[in-house]
Amino acid sequence: MIRLDKYLADMGAGTRQEVKKYIRQGRITVEGDVVKKPEMKVDETSQTVAFDGTTVGYAVCEYYMLNKPSGVVSATSDRRDRTVLDLIGDKKRKDLFPVGRLDKDTEGLLLITNDGALAHRLLSPKKHVDKCYFASVAGVVTKEDAVHFKEGIDIGSAKGREMTMPAELEILISAEVSEVRLTIQEGKFHQVKRMFHALGKEVIYLRRERMGSLVLDRSLKPGEYRSLTEEELKGLL
Ligand code: URA
């Protein structure tokens, strides 16, 4: 059971002060009856709350798979750029966030949720959850590179060493512009680009394709999203 004003604010109907005003104005019904007390407790699992006649369902946790397009930042708000959350038109919760950051020019799988425990499990390097990327790389990627990736690469700067955990490199095309699939289990800042840079090669296109058991749905065009299926969610939880 939660307070009616919290229920509405959680679902993005307005700030706590705004929804209190809407409730006092008689715009909110619970089970069809107008309720004017913000402190009234409602059962979020069974009762129907409506705002100006439109049902406001309560979602404790939401889970969306987004095919992130290039040009959008992985943040909850930004002064200049569009964010990945701006792309989720259906969202109910106002506390959603992207699980891990993809660079502005990176595309692909991004989980958007408000489930902090799940995010921690997916992101913590100690949990060894695979993050699998497809990359186009300027430069001939070789078997020797794959060995370096397996051993861990120093992506540090003048300030000091920064070793990566072992990573699995699959070479799809080895040419002037190579194509690879790289699986890492951590998420250091610009990690994939810095790993290739350390070997004298530049990533020119990057797309995340998998995170743990969650695979990018290729029917989603860049910029499109959908809720996770029950099966996908079970796999993650
Ligand atoms: N590694 C990068 O370099 N960029 C990303 O967006 C993700 C992983």
Side-chain angles (χ1 to χ4, degrees), residues 101-103 106 133 184 188 190-194 206:
R101 282 171 187 261
L102 293 179
D103 297 336
T106 299
Y133 294 86
I184 59 178
K188 296 178 188 293
H190 297 325
Q191 178 160 344
V192 176
K193 292 173 186 165
R194 286 163 71 200
L206 189 59

Side-chain angles (χ1 to χ4, degrees), residues 16-219:
R16 203 70 176 253
Q17 286 314 311
E18 285 165 348
V19 301
K20 279 183 181 159
K21 194 175 73 193
Y22 304 147
I23 295 167
R24 295 209 174 91
Q25 287 169 342
R27 297 172 67 181
I28 311 298
T29 55
V30 177
E31 297 288 297
D33 298 325
V34 172
V35 171
K36 292 196 167 177
K37 290 196 172 116
E39 68 278 12
M40 180 184 149
K41 290 276 175 66
V42 291
D43 183 346
E44 72 279 15
T45 62
S46 66
Q47 290 187 295
T48 303
V49 175
F51 182 11
D52 287 343
T54 304
T55 301
V56 181
Y58 194 84
V60 178
C61 282
E62 290 189 280
Y63 304 89
Y64 296 102
M65 174 192 296
L66 170 69
N67 185 354
K68 179 192 171 297
S70 176
V72 173
V73 294
S74 299
T76 51
S77 67
D78 194 272
R79 287 235 211 106
R80 253 197 344 227
D81 290 307
R82 260 195 328 159
T83 73
V84 289
L85 282 176
D86 294 331
L87 301 176
I88 312 293
D90 288 346
K91 60 182 178 287
K92 297 195 180 79
R93 303 273 328 186
K94 56 180 171 25
D95 52 357
L96 297 175
F97 58 87
V99 177
R101 282 171 187 261
L102 293 179
D103 297 336
K104 189 171 169 183
D105 61 353
T106 299
E107 295 187 352
L109 176 66
L110 196 57
L111 173 63
I112 310 274
T113 185
N114 57 327
D115 186 337
L118 173 64
H120 176 72
R121 270 208 307 284
L122 291 173
L123 295 178
S124 167
K126 286 188 199 133
K127 308 279 180 189
H128 294 277
V129 175
D130 286 347
K131 284 96 193 170
C132 183
Y133 294 86
F134 168 87
S136 298
V137 179
V140 183
V141 177
T142 63
K143 284 188 191 144
E144 288 72 43
D145 292 329
V147 173
H148 286 302
F149 275 92
K150 213 176 196 79
E151 288 169 347
I153 293 176
D154 180 8
I155 57 171
S157 58
K159 285 184 198 151
R161 270 161 68 89
E162 188 176 355
M163 290 302 293
T164 60
M165 287 163 56
E168 191 70 37
L169 180 71
E170 183 190 350
I171 301 171
L172 306 173
I173 297 174
S174 178
E176 283 306 309
V177 173
S178 301
E179 292 187 356
V180 301
R181 197 159 275 132
L182 179 67
T183 303
I184 59 178
Q185 297 185 329
E186 52 189 341
K188 296 178 188 293
F189 187 58
H190 297 325
Q191 178 160 344
V192 176
K193 292 173 186 165
R194 286 163 71 200
M195 289 172 96
F196 280 101
H197 186 76
L199 300 180
K201 284 148 205 175
E202 298 303 323
V203 171
I204 52 180
Y205 172 80
L206 189 59
R207 179 175 69 233
R208 184 157 63 194
E209 299 196 316
R210 184 169 67 82
M211 202 170 180
S213 59
L214 190 63
V215 179
L216 176 65
D217 178 344
R218 295 311 303 272
S219 73

